[in-house]
Amino acid sequence: MALRARTTLLLAALAGAAAALLLPGAVEAHVLLSLDDFGAVGDGIANDTHALVDAWKAACATGGHTYLNVPVGKSYQIWPVTLAGPCRDEINLLISGNIIAPESPEEWSDGDQGRWLHFRGVGDLSLSGGGIVDGRGQQWWAGTCEDENCTSHRQHEVAPMALHFEDCRDVSVKGITVQNAQRQHLAFTRCHGVEASYLRVTSPEHSPATVGVLVAGSTDVHIKHDLFSVGGDCVSIVGDSSDIKLKAISCGPGLGISIGGLSQNQSDHRIHKIKTDTMFIANTKNGLSIYEVIAPFPFIKDVM
Ligand SMILES: *[C@@H]1O[C@H](CO)[C@@H](O)[C@H](O)[C@H]1NC(C)=O
Ligand SMILES: *[C@@H]1O[C@H](CO)[C@@H](O)[C@H](O)[C@H]1NC(C)=O
Ligand SMILES: *[C@@H]1O[C@H](CO)[C@@H](O)[C@H](O)[C@H]1NC(C)=O
């Protein structure tokens, strides 16, 4: 047994992975990588961005079922980053510990606008692990105050999306907490096949326009068994989106669920086949709002 484990380890090392083991009960070899193997510190102060990028590259290049673990009990500070695909095979990002953003908006350069943890062009990606992704958005929110007492806010044009999945296929985000996002907690843009479930998505009620999940130009999206408590919309569906299912969602405080809102250019809204089931919407400003669309031919239909 020991010998076998060692052989696996060696093979994985040869394949460019830092560590590997056979998960109990696994028939196929599962490769398990840890952020710490790539030099991450996890003390909440160090810059662990480079380690994440290296770990992602290794995971992405490895065939088979790859697990990349963000260890429990630690806090990894990550600067804005794009983790791009396509990858060789499926990737499971196990967020067991905390991933935190730099606190100051000044840490974002011009090229980083609008993103924090940005996944692009990835298929077969799953995020789970029970940990926390914390955007630490307080300074971003403060920057949107329109008066000295912060009683009204303007929309922050460039505040980043915390977890942004763009041009993706078969992505699942399950059983983690996403909190204090600078703007959107999760965003799916041009994605096909999404499951966002058993999520706890929270920001203070006063955090301006913090959105739970933004779905834009995406199809076949299941948002279920989630708790949203944010300053803006719990779920916002815009763009050319269809086959969206919302089920067993708790929303509030927040503005509610919006379909067809937010976007400046509403002429590209073609939203259809939205199914809702068992929604607990309490203490919200708008409840379920379906925005009027005034452009030539777009339509919002089949909201059940
Ligand atoms: C943190 O590391 C990333 C990647 O190496 C780098 O782009 C960023 O500028 C670093 N931030 C600071 C404050 O050093
Ligand atoms: C802000 O609050 C202070 C103290 O309550 C008040 O005197 C002042 O008029 C307020 N300013 C605005 C712009 O509302
Ligand atoms: C809005 O979108 C339509 C269709 O995508 C485009 O033709 C038009 O130029 C856009 N208008 C603005 C103001 O961006």
Side-chain angles (χ1 to χ4, degrees):
M1 192 60 216
L3 180 65
R4 198 161 153 212
R6 192 165 298 171
T7 311
T8 314
L9 196 70
L10 182 66
L11 285 175
L14 288 173
L21 51 87
L22 283 175
L23 293 180
V27 179
E28 302 166 67
H30 286 51
V31 181
L32 181 60
L33 309 175
S34 164
L35 211 47
D36 289 355
D37 299 328
F38 294 85
V41 179
D43 62 357
I45 297 163
N47 183 351
D48 287 328
T49 317
H50 201 63
L52 176 63
V53 170
D54 285 352
W56 174 266
K57 279 186 190 153
C60 196
T62 307
H65 305 282
T66 306
Y67 289 78
L68 173 55
N69 188 36
V70 177
V72 69
K74 292 174 129 190
S75 253
Y76 299 87
Q77 188 171 199
I78 305 293
W79 268 255
V81 69
T82 295
L83 303 172
C87 294
R88 267 191 67 189
D89 213 326
E90 65 168 63
I91 296 193
N92 300 280
L93 185 55
L94 281 178
I95 303 174
S96 313
N98 303 323
I99 295 182
I100 62 175
E103 282 186 300
S104 169
E106 279 161 27
E107 299 293 335
W108 268 257
S109 62
D110 286 348
D112 292 331
Q113 285 183 5
R115 71 182 174 140
W116 175 35
L117 304 173
H118 177 213
F119 295 86
R120 196 185 62 218
V122 187
D124 291 320
L125 170 68
S126 108
L127 271 64
S128 62
I132 298 174
V133 175
D134 190 340
R136 302 204 290 178
Q138 288 81 357
Q139 290 187 29
W140 289 95
W141 309 332
T144 65
C145 292
E146 284 210 306
D147 56 57
E148 55 174 329
N149 298 334
C150 222
T151 50
S152 69
H153 298 272
R154 61 180 177 276
Q155 182 112 11
H156 207 301
E157 293 299 331
V158 294
M161 308 176 188
L163 277 173
H164 185 198
F165 302 87
E166 191 174 18
D167 297 313
C168 60
R169 181 183 47 76
D170 298 324
V171 169
S172 132
V173 186
K174 204 170 180 174
I176 60 171
T177 294
V178 187
Q179 65 191 28
N180 303 322
Q182 303 87 350
R183 193 169 45 148
Q184 290 88 358
H185 289 76
L186 298 114
F188 299 95
T189 309
R190 293 183 302 279
C191 286
H192 177 74
V194 171
E195 184 176 325
S197 59
Y198 302 99
L199 301 175
R200 207 184 127 78
V201 179
T202 65
S203 277
E205 191 175 354
H206 70 261
S207 61
T210 51
V211 169
V213 178
L214 171 69
V215 177
S218 294
T219 54
D220 193 14
V221 178
H222 293 199
I223 299 172
K224 57 189 189 183
H225 304 287
D226 300 315
L227 181 143
F228 297 103
S229 169
V230 291
D233 291 323
C234 293
V235 179
S236 173
I237 303 167
V238 299
D240 202 351
S241 295
S242 66
D243 289 297
I244 317 289
K245 291 203 178 90
L246 309 179
K247 185 177 180 181
I249 283 177
S250 166
C251 167
L255 296 183
I257 310 283
S258 90
I259 300 173
L262 269 189
S263 165
Q264 272 109 13
N265 184 358
Q266 298 206 325
S267 69
D268 58 359
H269 284 320
R270 279 177 296 274
I271 299 174
H272 53 114
K273 291 204 212 152
I274 313 278
K275 200 169 171 186
T276 61
D277 180 0
T278 328
M279 313 270 279
F280 303 94
I281 301 182
N283 197 8
T284 66
K285 216 166 131 195
N286 302 334
L288 175 65
S289 34
I290 298 170
Y291 288 80
E292 206 68 53
V293 176
I294 23 171
F297 296 112
F299 51 92
I300 294 177
K301 64 173 194 180
D302 301 342
V303 178
M304 293 175 271

